[in-house]
Amino acid sequence: MKLSTAIAPSNLAFLKYWGKKDSKLRIPYNNSISVNLGSATTITSVNFSPDLERDIVIVNDSEQDTTSGFTVRVSKHLDRLRAVANEKSKAIVKTKNTFPESVGIASSASGFAALTVAAADALELNLSQKELSIFSRLGSGSACRSIPDGFVEWVAGDSNDTSFAQQIAPPDHWDISIVTVIVSKDAKKLTSTSGHELAVASPFFKSRMETIEIHLNRVREAILNKDFEQFGRQVEMEAISLHSIAMTSPFTANGWNSGAYYWTPDTMELIRAVQEWRSSGLEVYFTLDAGPTVHLICRREDEGKIEKAVRDIEKNIPLRKWDIAINRPAVGARVQQEIQH
Ligand code: DP6
């Protein structure tokens, strides 16, 4: 056994995963399509040692409580890999994100992809890309899409071995950019994992499923044909489809709620701005995950214009401060043996 470090990108879904037909195995109802985000990454090192009595998880230099939900989830994930390697030793896991968690950038995606790749390498398991994707999925569904490079499709499958992600186009296939605007760093009230459970209760879930195949094919085709207009329109409608489900899936947390609203007023302000920018000739589309963060999708040459336009809106309210990250399509998870932190 050795110390291994892996770096993995988060990914942004254009056709989303929302609802699981098997919660334990994290098998989704539908295929999803995403791209790896170049500036939203997690770096994780794993060091197994026979001297440890329990797994130790350190996030951004701070040791997590043994009973914290994250530590338990990480430990459970390590158990899956330990079982294959027939290894009993516990591990020290150190992990850092280049972006805030729980705001609508999937930190569990990059987190579990990096953890899987680092732990599998430390245990010298020699897993294939498909196997790494399957293991990552068991940690967090969207993590399976952070394994292959570039534009990726997660084939839903119907069993553990048939549900994994594969590349549909390499990162340099299409020079689109994603201007990610983090409008709030307050953690969301309802996790994605809970959102998946609640989705089927929405009266609109069934109709989403009836047309999902058509939308999936349109998004894939638009990527392969580099048809920006078709792509942007589909992606924007898909984001709203997910949020329509979330807003109509009742749940109980400190009382009854008719649905989950992941948006803040700033999210809405940007959505409206996108419509105005488009009508004035700047072609940009938005997508949103389970959080207030707005991802603005544009052609590479428009990155700077979009960033400036966002800063202009930000100034509408004095002292308002948004974090902006420019993401370009990126490679998937990788081992980085020489890096230690
Ligand atoms: C809205 O992968 O975070 O980002 O499998 O329960 O860990 P778990 O869920 P997660 O869900 C991501 C949901 C989403 C859409 C997407 O990435 O496809």
Side-chain angles (χ1 to χ4, degrees):
M1 273 175 308
K2 52 181 184 177
L3 166 76
S4 283
T5 301
I7 182 158
S10 182
N11 65 70
L12 175 66
F14 300 131
L15 196 295
K16 316 253 183 209
Y17 149 52
W18 200 242
K20 299 172 199 176
K21 54 185 180 211
D22 183 326
S23 310
K24 202 161 160 269
L25 290 178
R26 290 189 149 81
I27 296 177
Y29 276 99
N30 57 274
N31 289 18
S32 51
I33 293 179
S34 62
V35 74
N36 290 328
L37 298 175
S39 352
T41 55
T42 298
I43 182 158
T44 299
S45 68
V46 179
N47 199 359
F48 289 94
S49 162
D51 304 332
L52 293 168
E53 282 175 13
R54 56 181 177 84
D55 292 319
I56 295 174
V57 179
I58 300 168
V59 180
N60 297 332
D61 298 321
S62 107
E63 186 172 334
Q64 305 296 294
D65 209 302
T66 345
T67 53
S68 84
F70 187 64
T71 307
V72 172
R73 201 165 160 186
V74 166
S75 228
K76 212 171 148 192
H77 197 59
L78 290 175
D79 286 345
R80 295 183 181 111
L81 293 152
R82 276 190 283 247
V84 185
N86 201 14
E87 177 59 59
K88 299 274 172 294
S89 297
K90 303 293 181 193
I92 300 186
V93 175
K94 291 186 188 173
T95 186
K96 279 185 183 171
N97 293 326
T98 60
F99 57 94
E101 293 100 43
S102 298
V103 296
I105 304 177
S107 56
S108 61
S110 49
F112 280 94
L115 179 67
T116 305
V117 170
D121 188 63
L123 294 166
E124 295 173 359
L125 285 175
N126 275 321
L127 299 182
S128 64
Q129 186 180 87
K130 174 178 162 183
E131 290 166 324
L132 288 168
S133 181
I134 289 171
F135 273 110
S136 299
R137 188 201 79 230
L138 292 166
S140 174
S142 54
C144 75
R145 297 188 310 235
S146 288
I147 298 292
D149 293 347
F151 297 83
V152 169
E153 179 160 352
W154 172 9
V155 178
D158 51 14
S159 63
N160 186 46
D161 295 346
T162 54
S163 186
F164 60 92
Q166 55 205 16
Q167 184 183 85
I168 53 176
D172 61 0
H173 162 73
W174 198 15
D175 51 0
I176 57 164
S177 293
I178 293 130
V179 179
T180 298
V181 189
I182 301 171
V183 296
S184 163
K185 289 187 191 148
D186 296 344
K188 58 195 176 199
K189 308 252 174 330
L190 191 74
T191 62
S192 304
T193 304
S194 309
H196 287 293
E197 301 303 322
L198 300 165
V200 283
S202 162
F204 306 118
F205 188 74
K206 197 164 159 269
S207 71
R208 171 170 162 79
M209 284 305 115
E210 276 164 12
T211 51
I212 201 100
E213 204 65 27
I214 298 170
H215 296 295
L216 182 78
N217 291 336
R218 285 190 192 149
V219 170
R220 191 191 310 103
E221 258 170 45
I223 292 174
L224 293 175
N225 299 333
K226 302 184 208 172
D227 181 341
F228 191 63
E229 186 182 276
Q230 150 101 333
F231 175 69
R233 290 180 181 184
Q234 284 298 318
V235 169
E236 207 172 286
M237 304 243 304
E238 164 61 5
I240 297 305
S241 164
L242 182 153
H243 283 271
S244 307
I245 301 292
M247 288 178 192
T248 51
S249 309
F251 69 101
T252 307
N254 301 323
W256 180 85
N257 301 283
S258 54
Y261 293 80
Y262 288 106
W263 305 354
T264 66
D266 286 2
T267 312
M268 196 64 224
E269 200 176 338
L270 279 167
I271 290 176
R272 284 169 176 247
V274 166
Q275 296 190 334
E276 294 208 355
W277 293 330
R278 265 205 309 265
S279 68
S280 65
L282 181 57
E283 199 177 2
V284 50
Y285 300 90
F286 66 82
T287 186
L288 311 145
D289 278 340
T293 296
V294 183
H295 300 273
L296 302 168
I297 306 166
C298 62
R299 295 194 171 88
R300 182 73 41 88
E301 66 261 28
D302 291 333
E303 260 175 19
K305 270 190 227 159
I306 301 291
E307 187 173 2
K308 186 174 172 306
V310 171
R311 288 291 179 215
D312 287 346
I313 304 262
E314 182 190 23
K315 287 189 208 119
N316 288 345
I317 296 183
L319 302 180
R320 179 159 69 176
K321 189 82 198 85
W322 290 336
D323 280 355
I324 301 180
I326 310 278
N327 284 291
R328 294 177 175 181
V331 293
R334 293 265 186 291
V335 172
Q336 298 241 311
Q337 262 149 17
E338 70 285 8
I339 295 179
Q340 295 182 12
H341 63 273

